[in-house]
Amino acid sequence: MSRYLAYGLSIALAFLSFSMALHSPAWWWGVAGFGAVALLGTWDVLQKRSTLRRNYPILAHFRYGLESVGPEMRQYFIEGDTAEVPFSRQQRALVYQRSKGVMDVVPFGSQQSVYSVDYEWLNHSIAPIKIESHDFRIVIGGESAQPYSASVFNISAMSFGALSANAIRALNKGARRGHFYHDTGEGSISPYHREPGGDLVWEIGSGYFGCRADDGTFSEERFVANACTPQVKMIEVKLSQGAKPGHGGVLPAAKVSAEIAATRGVPMGVDCVSPARHSAFSTPKGLLEFVVRLRELSGGKPTGFKLAIGHPWEWFGIAKAMQETGLLPDYIVVDGAEGGTGAAPAEFIDHVGVPMHEALMLVHNTLVGLGLRDRVRIGAAGRITSAFDLARTMAMGADWCNSARGFMFALGCIQSQSCHNDKCPTGVATQNPNRWQHLDVADKAIRVQQYHGNTLKALRDLLGAAGLEHPAQLGPEHILRRISPVEIRSLAALFNFLEPGELLSKVPEHAVFRDFWADARSDSFAPPARVSALRASKSR
């Protein structure tokens, strides 16, 4: 019966305190304290929802308390400095140092195990060069009426609603100070995006927030009103998100504040639904026609789409539609399965979608094979925080990189993983004004700017060490990976890369192209007939 010991003691001490209080008023504090504990134990015994509490009255609450601080205990006292769960202490520390402008050099030696499988490095040159500027830029939409000169490192999509008003203000002000862009996320353009005046990429998801008709479909008139503002530099159609591809979202009515309702163009007091798929198009060709129409309506601003790769024939269908129609997006952003989000089902975060490296190489390879790579820019996002992350990603085929959680760390995020419960301790991912009003916009904007600038300075130094002048010169031959204790391969040797125009004359000896390229259709996202046949049978 030891499990009832705490309950029994609380009752006994409550009675003892009561008897002593009859002689000395100071003991009434004991009556109140022990009595409250005894009442809690009584409620535990009488309630029927929790067997644990009935079997272990009072003691069960100690378990709940320890469980509630378990993530913090592991993060601060148990996890190693290099354990990525999802970001290591070492990764977070680097962002904090660079955002604060303090010394980010490391003493004594690497904490990385350089002989472990998957260890990667950048080969350096015996003849390094000095690069004066770290402001590396690329032109997106060179054939459009309003091309945009973008930094190679930008703020990835995070919506107002997922992030607080002051977090959005600080990110956009930092972007303005550092001359890089801030992706709005699919929650549309809020007053807090507009206030600082930083460059915006307006992301349009399946809910068409900010350009939504009353019935939830796309509204050209409302789109034009937002897209033609000078602050919006590019338009991005979101097909899917790395952390929860193929999954829509619902913002409960209780959370649809007046500000969010006005920003998204939805009524207050009603669930705000973001469907899993778009209603404005239903085929690969339809997607490209929609992209071209948005470009025209925006006055010729660079327009593209973001996707996480899933069924390969669907991406191949989009690529074939480009080839057949000549309708091209100005850019494509590849979002990896390792991407983050404010809230998503565990199965989606852990087991849905292609990781960014493989997804990026598939998109890059396809465009190279069709002879279109020089006309379509590629961005990439997925757990990017350091200059080496930038270098590796661009070596794999990206023209530039986006980061969401990296810039959240710059704002002061401590990876408490409370984004989904409105209890963010740093005021970044919460709509509770008692929390977010303490986030100092002026200070955090400087940190956002400094993290961006110092990371690009580190990239400049990496490039110079490799004898290169610009990230565009990085290729898979520059990144080496250990694949066993005694074997090393460059990414160029480890993966298959297509030759320019190769898809125009043959199907490459590359498993995914060999299996799905011929059957992909530009007029439908439907699976090939043989895949449909497999779905109807378990005899395979």
PDB file of all heavy atoms in Angstrom, residues 243-271:
ATOM      1  N   ALA A 243       6.782  19.643 -44.118  1.00  0.00           N
ATOM      2  CA  ALA A 243       6.460  18.989 -42.852  1.00  0.00           C
ATOM      3  C   ALA A 243       5.127  18.257 -42.879  1.00  0.00           C
ATOM      4  O   ALA A 243       4.896  17.359 -42.063  1.00  0.00           O
ATOM      5  CB  ALA A 243       6.457  20.015 -41.720  1.00  0.00           C
ATOM      6  N   LYS A 244       4.236  18.645 -43.783  1.00  0.00           N
ATOM      7  CA  LYS A 244       2.933  17.960 -43.848  1.00  0.00           C
ATOM      8  C   LYS A 244       2.394  17.992 -45.274  1.00  0.00           C
ATOM      9  O   LYS A 244       1.306  18.507 -45.522  1.00  0.00           O
ATOM     10  CB  LYS A 244       1.934  18.585 -42.873  1.00  0.00           C
ATOM     11  CG  LYS A 244       1.830  20.110 -42.935  1.00  0.00           C
ATOM     12  CD  LYS A 244       0.835  20.627 -41.911  1.00  0.00           C
ATOM     13  CE  LYS A 244       0.742  22.141 -41.948  1.00  0.00           C
ATOM     14  NZ  LYS A 244      -0.194  22.676 -40.946  1.00  0.00           N
ATOM     15  N   PRO A 245       3.137  17.420 -46.225  1.00  0.00           N
ATOM     16  CA  PRO A 245       2.670  17.424 -47.617  1.00  0.00           C
ATOM     17  C   PRO A 245       1.398  16.598 -47.775  1.00  0.00           C
ATOM     18  O   PRO A 245       1.234  15.556 -47.141  1.00  0.00           O
ATOM     19  CB  PRO A 245       3.834  16.796 -48.380  1.00  0.00           C
ATOM     20  CG  PRO A 245       4.551  15.961 -47.372  1.00  0.00           C
ATOM     21  CD  PRO A 245       4.408  16.689 -46.078  1.00  0.00           C
ATOM     22  N   GLY A 246       0.488  17.085 -48.629  1.00  0.00           N
ATOM     23  CA  GLY A 246      -0.757  16.371 -48.844  1.00  0.00           C
ATOM     24  C   GLY A 246      -1.765  16.550 -47.734  1.00  0.00           C
ATOM     25  O   GLY A 246      -2.800  15.889 -47.710  1.00  0.00           O
ATOM     26  N   HIS A 247      -1.493  17.481 -46.815  1.00  0.00           N
ATOM     27  CA  HIS A 247      -2.369  17.673 -45.662  1.00  0.00           C
ATOM     28  C   HIS A 247      -2.799  19.132 -45.601  1.00  0.00           C
ATOM     29  O   HIS A 247      -1.969  20.027 -45.664  1.00  0.00           O
ATOM     30  CB  HIS A 247      -1.626  17.291 -44.379  1.00  0.00           C
ATOM     31  CG  HIS A 247      -2.498  17.225 -43.153  1.00  0.00           C
ATOM     32  ND1 HIS A 247      -2.854  18.331 -42.431  1.00  0.00           N
ATOM     33  CD2 HIS A 247      -3.085  16.170 -42.535  1.00  0.00           C
ATOM     34  CE1 HIS A 247      -3.609  17.964 -41.412  1.00  0.00           C
ATOM     35  NE2 HIS A 247      -3.759  16.654 -41.452  1.00  0.00           N
ATOM     36  N   GLY A 248      -4.072  19.379 -45.487  1.00  0.00           N
ATOM     37  CA  GLY A 248      -4.562  20.741 -45.333  1.00  0.00           C
ATOM     38  C   GLY A 248      -4.454  21.182 -43.891  1.00  0.00           C
ATOM     39  O   GLY A 248      -3.706  20.605 -43.096  1.00  0.00           O
ATOM     40  N   GLY A 249      -5.187  22.216 -43.552  1.00  0.00           N
ATOM     41  CA  GLY A 249      -5.134  22.710 -42.187  1.00  0.00           C
ATOM     42  C   GLY A 249      -6.422  23.406 -41.801  1.00  0.00           C
ATOM     43  O   GLY A 249      -7.182  23.851 -42.656  1.00  0.00           O
ATOM     44  N   VAL A 250      -6.677  23.489 -40.495  1.00  0.00           N
ATOM     45  CA  VAL A 250      -7.835  24.192 -39.973  1.00  0.00           C
ATOM     46  C   VAL A 250      -7.378  25.062 -38.805  1.00  0.00           C
ATOM     47  O   VAL A 250      -6.770  24.570 -37.852  1.00  0.00           O
ATOM     48  CB  VAL A 250      -8.934  23.217 -39.491  1.00  0.00           C
ATOM     49  CG1 VAL A 250     -10.095  24.009 -38.887  1.00  0.00           C
ATOM     50  CG2 VAL A 250      -9.419  22.340 -40.627  1.00  0.00           C
ATOM     51  N   LEU A 251      -7.641  26.367 -38.914  1.00  0.00           N
ATOM     52  CA  LEU A 251      -7.448  27.261 -37.782  1.00  0.00           C
ATOM     53  C   LEU A 251      -8.808  27.380 -37.100  1.00  0.00           C
ATOM     54  O   LEU A 251      -9.755  27.907 -37.692  1.00  0.00           O
ATOM     55  CB  LEU A 251      -6.957  28.631 -38.251  1.00  0.00           C
ATOM     56  CG  LEU A 251      -6.502  29.606 -37.158  1.00  0.00           C
ATOM     57  CD1 LEU A 251      -5.277  29.050 -36.436  1.00  0.00           C
ATOM     58  CD2 LEU A 251      -6.206  30.970 -37.740  1.00  0.00           C
ATOM     59  N   PRO A 252      -8.941  26.844 -35.873  1.00  0.00           N
ATOM     60  CA  PRO A 252     -10.255  26.831 -35.222  1.00  0.00           C
ATOM     61  C   PRO A 252     -10.852  28.228 -35.106  1.00  0.00           C
ATOM     62  O   PRO A 252     -10.129  29.224 -34.990  1.00  0.00           O
ATOM     63  CB  PRO A 252      -9.956  26.233 -33.842  1.00  0.00           C
ATOM     64  CG  PRO A 252      -8.690  25.467 -34.023  1.00  0.00           C
ATOM     65  CD  PRO A 252      -7.904  26.219 -35.051  1.00  0.00           C
ATOM     66  N   ALA A 253     -12.177  28.289 -35.110  1.00  0.00           N
ATOM     67  CA  ALA A 253     -12.875  29.576 -35.072  1.00  0.00           C
ATOM     68  C   ALA A 253     -12.427  30.437 -33.900  1.00  0.00           C
ATOM     69  O   ALA A 253     -12.299  31.663 -34.029  1.00  0.00           O
ATOM     70  CB  ALA A 253     -14.384  29.326 -34.999  1.00  0.00           C
ATOM     71  N   ALA A 254     -12.157  29.802 -32.762  1.00  0.00           N
ATOM     72  CA  ALA A 254     -11.768  30.556 -31.574  1.00  0.00           C
ATOM     73  C   ALA A 254     -10.460  31.311 -31.762  1.00  0.00           C
ATOM     74  O   ALA A 254     -10.192  32.303 -31.087  1.00  0.00           O
ATOM     75  CB  ALA A 254     -11.659  29.615 -30.381  1.00  0.00           C
ATOM     76  N   LYS A 255      -9.613  30.845 -32.689  1.00  0.00           N
ATOM     77  CA  LYS A 255      -8.319  31.485 -32.921  1.00  0.00           C
ATOM     78  C   LYS A 255      -8.346  32.482 -34.074  1.00  0.00           C
ATOM     79  O   LYS A 255      -7.345  33.128 -34.347  1.00  0.00           O
ATOM     80  CB  LYS A 255      -7.254  30.416 -33.190  1.00  0.00           C
ATOM     81  CG  LYS A 255      -6.918  29.561 -31.984  1.00  0.00           C
ATOM     82  CD  LYS A 255      -5.743  28.646 -32.273  1.00  0.00           C
ATOM     83  CE  LYS A 255      -5.347  27.862 -31.038  1.00  0.00           C
ATOM     84  NZ  LYS A 255      -4.164  26.981 -31.295  1.00  0.00           N
ATOM     85  N   VAL A 256      -9.479  32.575 -34.762  1.00  0.00           N
ATOM     86  CA  VAL A 256      -9.577  33.500 -35.897  1.00  0.00           C
ATOM     87  C   VAL A 256      -9.924  34.873 -35.333  1.00  0.00           C
ATOM     88  O   VAL A 256     -11.089  35.268 -35.233  1.00  0.00           O
ATOM     89  CB  VAL A 256     -10.627  33.033 -36.922  1.00  0.00           C
ATOM     90  CG1 VAL A 256     -10.663  33.977 -38.112  1.00  0.00           C
ATOM     91  CG2 VAL A 256     -10.299  31.624 -37.398  1.00  0.00           C
ATOM     92  N   SER A 257      -8.877  35.614 -34.947  1.00  0.00           N
ATOM     93  CA  SER A 257      -9.055  36.946 -34.392  1.00  0.00           C
ATOM     94  C   SER A 257      -9.457  37.926 -35.493  1.00  0.00           C
ATOM     95  O   SER A 257      -9.437  37.598 -36.682  1.00  0.00           O
ATOM     96  CB  SER A 257      -7.758  37.411 -33.736  1.00  0.00           C
ATOM     97  OG  SER A 257      -6.742  37.573 -34.729  1.00  0.00           O
ATOM     98  N   ALA A 258      -9.786  39.138 -35.103  1.00  0.00           N
ATOM     99  CA  ALA A 258     -10.152  40.168 -36.080  1.00  0.00           C
ATOM    100  C   ALA A 258      -8.991  40.443 -37.026  1.00  0.00           C
ATOM    101  O   ALA A 258      -9.184  40.625 -38.235  1.00  0.00           O
ATOM    102  CB  ALA A 258     -10.565  41.444 -35.351  1.00  0.00           C
ATOM    103  N   GLU A 259      -7.761  40.460 -36.490  1.00  0.00           N
ATOM    104  CA  GLU A 259      -6.591  40.720 -37.330  1.00  0.00           C
ATOM    105  C   GLU A 259      -6.374  39.598 -38.333  1.00  0.00           C
ATOM    106  O   GLU A 259      -6.113  39.853 -39.516  1.00  0.00           O
ATOM    107  CB  GLU A 259      -5.344  40.873 -36.452  1.00  0.00           C
ATOM    108  CG  GLU A 259      -5.297  42.158 -35.664  1.00  0.00           C
ATOM    109  CD  GLU A 259      -4.059  42.218 -34.807  1.00  0.00           C
ATOM    110  OE1 GLU A 259      -3.744  41.213 -34.137  1.00  0.00           O
ATOM    111  OE2 GLU A 259      -3.388  43.260 -34.803  1.00  0.00           O
ATOM    112  N   ILE A 260      -6.453  38.354 -37.871  1.00  0.00           N
ATOM    113  CA  ILE A 260      -6.235  37.219 -38.767  1.00  0.00           C
ATOM    114  C   ILE A 260      -7.352  37.151 -39.809  1.00  0.00           C
ATOM    115  O   ILE A 260      -7.099  36.878 -40.987  1.00  0.00           O
ATOM    116  CB  ILE A 260      -6.143  35.913 -37.957  1.00  0.00           C
ATOM    117  CG1 ILE A 260      -4.834  35.907 -37.148  1.00  0.00           C
ATOM    118  CG2 ILE A 260      -6.204  34.695 -38.871  1.00  0.00           C
ATOM    119  CD1 ILE A 260      -4.680  34.714 -36.224  1.00  0.00           C
ATOM    120  N   ALA A 261      -8.580  37.430 -39.392  1.00  0.00           N
ATOM    121  CA  ALA A 261      -9.702  37.419 -40.328  1.00  0.00           C
ATOM    122  C   ALA A 261      -9.492  38.462 -41.424  1.00  0.00           C
ATOM    123  O   ALA A 261      -9.708  38.188 -42.615  1.00  0.00           O
ATOM    124  CB  ALA A 261     -11.002  37.681 -39.586  1.00  0.00           C
ATOM    125  N   ALA A 262      -9.052  39.669 -41.032  1.00  0.00           N
ATOM    126  CA  ALA A 262      -8.827  40.726 -42.017  1.00  0.00           C
ATOM    127  C   ALA A 262      -7.657  40.392 -42.931  1.00  0.00           C
ATOM    128  O   ALA A 262      -7.709  40.641 -44.147  1.00  0.00           O
ATOM    129  CB  ALA A 262      -8.570  42.049 -41.293  1.00  0.00           C
ATOM    130  N   THR A 263      -6.610  39.814 -42.378  1.00  0.00           N
ATOM    131  CA  THR A 263      -5.427  39.472 -43.171  1.00  0.00           C
ATOM    132  C   THR A 263      -5.736  38.380 -44.184  1.00  0.00           C
ATOM    133  O   THR A 263      -5.337  38.458 -45.350  1.00  0.00           O
ATOM    134  CB  THR A 263      -4.286  39.016 -42.241  1.00  0.00           C
ATOM    135  OG1 THR A 263      -3.889  40.114 -41.417  1.00  0.00           O
ATOM    136  CG2 THR A 263      -3.085  38.526 -43.041  1.00  0.00           C
ATOM    137  N   ARG A 264      -6.460  37.372 -43.751  1.00  0.00           N
ATOM    138  CA  ARG A 264      -6.712  36.219 -44.612  1.00  0.00           C
ATOM    139  C   ARG A 264      -7.959  36.375 -45.487  1.00  0.00           C
ATOM    140  O   ARG A 264      -8.160  35.596 -46.416  1.00  0.00           O
ATOM    141  CB  ARG A 264      -6.831  34.951 -43.759  1.00  0.00           C
ATOM    142  CG  ARG A 264      -5.572  34.640 -42.968  1.00  0.00           C
ATOM    143  CD  ARG A 264      -5.585  33.240 -42.384  1.00  0.00           C
ATOM    144  NE  ARG A 264      -4.345  32.938 -41.685  1.00  0.00           N
ATOM    145  CZ  ARG A 264      -3.953  31.716 -41.346  1.00  0.00           C
ATOM    146  NH1 ARG A 264      -4.715  30.671 -41.645  1.00  0.00           N
ATOM    147  NH2 ARG A 264      -2.814  31.522 -40.715  1.00  0.00           N
ATOM    148  N   GLY A 265      -8.800  37.355 -45.141  1.00  0.00           N
ATOM    149  CA  GLY A 265     -10.020  37.527 -45.917  1.00  0.00           C
ATOM    150  C   GLY A 265     -11.056  36.472 -45.608  1.00  0.00           C
ATOM    151  O   GLY A 265     -11.755  35.995 -46.505  1.00  0.00           O
ATOM    152  N   VAL A 266     -11.153  36.104 -44.329  1.00  0.00           N
ATOM    153  CA  VAL A 266     -12.125  35.093 -43.900  1.00  0.00           C
ATOM    154  C   VAL A 266     -12.976  35.694 -42.791  1.00  0.00           C
ATOM    155  O   VAL A 266     -12.571  36.651 -42.123  1.00  0.00           O
ATOM    156  CB  VAL A 266     -11.422  33.811 -43.397  1.00  0.00           C
ATOM    157  CG1 VAL A 266     -10.615  33.178 -44.520  1.00  0.00           C
ATOM    158  CG2 VAL A 266     -10.520  34.111 -42.202  1.00  0.00           C
ATOM    159  N   PRO A 267     -14.174  35.154 -42.557  1.00  0.00           N
ATOM    160  CA  PRO A 267     -15.029  35.685 -41.491  1.00  0.00           C
ATOM    161  C   PRO A 267     -14.560  35.261 -40.113  1.00  0.00           C
ATOM    162  O   PRO A 267     -14.009  34.172 -39.936  1.00  0.00           O
ATOM    163  CB  PRO A 267     -16.403  35.086 -41.813  1.00  0.00           C
ATOM    164  CG  PRO A 267     -16.105  33.834 -42.568  1.00  0.00           C
ATOM    165  CD  PRO A 267     -14.860  34.108 -43.350  1.00  0.00           C
ATOM    166  N   MET A 268     -14.777  36.122 -39.138  1.00  0.00           N
ATOM    167  CA  MET A 268     -14.508  35.754 -37.749  1.00  0.00           C
ATOM    168  C   MET A 268     -15.548  34.752 -37.267  1.00  0.00           C
ATOM    169  O   MET A 268     -16.666  34.706 -37.775  1.00  0.00           O
ATOM    170  CB  MET A 268     -14.541  36.991 -36.845  1.00  0.00           C
ATOM    171  CG  MET A 268     -13.330  37.875 -36.906  1.00  0.00           C
ATOM    172  SD  MET A 268     -13.422  39.187 -35.654  1.00  0.00           S
ATOM    173  CE  MET A 268     -13.416  38.233 -34.137  1.00  0.00           C
ATOM    174  N   GLY A 269     -15.161  33.958 -36.273  1.00  0.00           N
ATOM    175  CA  GLY A 269     -16.104  33.039 -35.660  1.00  0.00           C
ATOM    176  C   GLY A 269     -16.401  31.800 -36.471  1.00  0.00           C
ATOM    177  O   GLY A 269     -17.306  31.043 -36.141  1.00  0.00           O
ATOM    178  N   VAL A 270     -15.630  31.600 -37.554  1.00  0.00           N
ATOM    179  CA  VAL A 270     -15.820  30.426 -38.404  1.00  0.00           C
ATOM    180  C   VAL A 270     -14.465  29.754 -38.607  1.00  0.00           C
ATOM    181  O   VAL A 270     -13.444  30.435 -38.752  1.00  0.00           O
ATOM    182  CB  VAL A 270     -16.411  30.815 -39.777  1.00  0.00           C
ATOM    183  CG1 VAL A 270     -16.564  29.598 -40.673  1.00  0.00           C
ATOM    184  CG2 VAL A 270     -17.746  31.521 -39.598  1.00  0.00           C
ATOM    185  N   ASP A 271     -14.435  28.420 -38.595  1.00  0.00           N
ATOM    186  CA  ASP A 271     -13.172  27.706 -38.840  1.00  0.00           C
ATOM    187  C   ASP A 271     -12.546  28.177 -40.146  1.00  0.00           C
ATOM    188  O   ASP A 271     -13.221  28.293 -41.178  1.00  0.00           O
ATOM    189  CB  ASP A 271     -13.415  26.196 -38.923  1.00  0.00           C
ATOM    190  CG  ASP A 271     -13.720  25.577 -37.573  1.00  0.00           C
ATOM    191  OD1 ASP A 271     -13.485  26.242 -36.551  1.00  0.00           O
ATOM    192  OD2 ASP A 271     -14.202  24.436 -37.539  1.00  0.00           O
TER     193      ASP A 271
END
